[in-house]
Amino acid sequence: MSSLSILNLFREFSIADWITLLNAFCGVSAILFWNDNKLPYLDMSFFMFPIALIADIMDGQVARQLKKTSIYGGDLDSLSDVISFGVAPCVMAFTLGVTGMWDVMCLCFNVLCGVSRLARFNVTSASMRGDKFKKMPRFEGLPIPGNLSLVVLLAIDHYFLNYFLTQKFKFRILGKHFHPIVSILYVVFGFLMISKVKLPHLIKNSFKFSKKKKSVLNVQDYPYLIRYLCINFSKKIDIAIMSH
């Protein structure tokens, strides 16, 4: 068997699929960077999340504008989201100190809710959307990237609160440590994901400024968007490190 035949699967991927894989790459990188709990690895781990979010937004935009996708696109997107916005935020909380037995149960509950929410999305999205290149008119339950709000909270705790939420503020339940603020928030976000609450498509609404144009951003604009966001995020991290 030739080496090229082994790569046949990759050759079937569209451009949007490769952008989706960037999302998964960032999620795995964020988890691995946490194995060395020192700077600059912590900063690099936090830095992976906005890139993963940009990739998650871009893959659908690119697929719609190029009118080209593959049969793997939907599954790749869901699996990548589970890694970057489900598992990675929970591993981050655990690594920062949310390690009690009750804490672990809350973190696992959040991941299970995220997986369940994505499974429901995959089943219902075709009927709600009609056209595979058309955006979802609304979301049912909080999308799993909403877990990035928890990552922001962990970043604030790490850079500005000296681990107050993840290490210092805790008590015991039946002899086991429990960090109430972080763990309860993970549970709340889990319930929001599996809820039936109808939410508007914020990305869709954010990029629409004119009735004549469907989107302000074109495919060629994305490299400039990534560069702008990366530079500004790096500046914020540098300021946080200096003040820390």
Side-chain angles (χ1 to χ4, degrees):
M1 182 181 296
S2 65
S3 58
L4 290 178
S5 62
I6 298 177
L7 301 177
N8 280 340
L9 176 61
F10 289 144
R11 293 155 82 181
E12 296 177 19
F13 288 170
S14 65
I15 296 177
D17 294 334
W18 286 105
I19 297 175
T20 302
L21 288 178
L22 174 62
N23 176 8
F25 172 83
C26 292
V28 175
S29 298
I31 294 173
L32 296 179
F33 284 141
W34 277 107
N35 288 331
D36 193 335
N37 198 19
K38 299 177 181 178
L39 295 174
Y41 296 102
L42 293 178
D43 299 320
M44 294 171 66
S45 181
F46 282 116
F47 186 69
M48 290 295 104
F49 287 100
I51 299 178
L53 179 61
I54 293 171
D56 188 48
I57 296 172
M58 282 177 55
D59 58 5
Q61 294 274 334
V62 170
R64 280 183 287 271
Q65 291 196 23
L66 297 181
K67 297 291 183 180
K68 187 177 181 180
T69 184
S70 73
I71 59 175
Y72 310 105
D75 292 329
L76 280 176
D77 186 69
S78 295
L79 293 171
S80 299
D81 284 353
V82 168
I83 297 171
S84 298
F85 310 125
V87 177
C90 293
V91 172
M92 176 174 286
F94 184 86
T95 307
L96 284 176
V98 186
T99 58
M101 183 186 75
W102 306 111
D103 299 320
V104 171
M105 293 177 64
C106 294
L107 298 178
C108 290
F109 175 78
N110 180 275
V111 175
L112 295 179
C113 289
V115 173
S116 302
R117 196 267 177 199
L118 286 169
R120 181 180 64 187
F121 175 82
N122 289 343
V123 171
T124 60
S125 60
S127 59
M128 292 178 63
R129 183 167 45 197
D131 181 2
K132 65 179 180 179
F133 292 113
K134 188 179 179 181
K135 294 181 181 180
M136 288 285 294
R138 64 186 182 279
F139 288 122
E140 188 176 74
L142 179 71
I144 193 170
N147 269 348
L148 290 185
S149 300
L150 300 172
V151 175
V152 173
L153 176 66
L154 296 176
I156 293 173
D157 183 61
H158 167 67
Y159 289 112
F160 304 107
L161 301 182
N162 196 24
Y163 303 106
F164 175 77
L165 300 178
T166 55
Q167 296 183 17
K168 299 177 181 179
F169 185 65
K170 60 185 178 181
F171 54 82
R172 287 180 177 270
I173 300 178
L174 299 178
K176 304 296 182 180
H177 285 297
F178 181 63
H179 299 77
I181 297 178
V182 176
S183 295
I184 290 175
L185 280 176
Y186 270 82
V187 172
V188 170
F189 273 70
F191 277 119
L192 288 175
M193 285 188 284
I194 61 175
S195 69
K196 292 283 188 177
V197 176
K198 300 295 189 298
L199 298 174
H201 199 305
L202 296 180
I203 300 299
K204 176 181 178 181
N205 295 335
S206 298
F207 287 141
K208 292 182 68 174
F209 290 87
S210 172
K211 295 182 179 179
K212 296 181 180 179
K213 294 184 179 181
K214 293 183 178 180
S215 175
V216 172
L217 295 177
N218 294 316
V219 174
Q220 60 268 25
D221 297 325
Y222 288 129
Y224 302 101
L225 173 63
I226 295 175
R227 181 175 179 272
Y228 171 79
L229 292 175
C230 290
I231 291 175
N232 281 272
F233 188 77
S234 300
K235 290 180 179 179
K236 291 181 180 179
I237 286 182
D238 292 338
I239 294 174
I241 294 174
M242 294 177 63
S243 61
H244 184 68

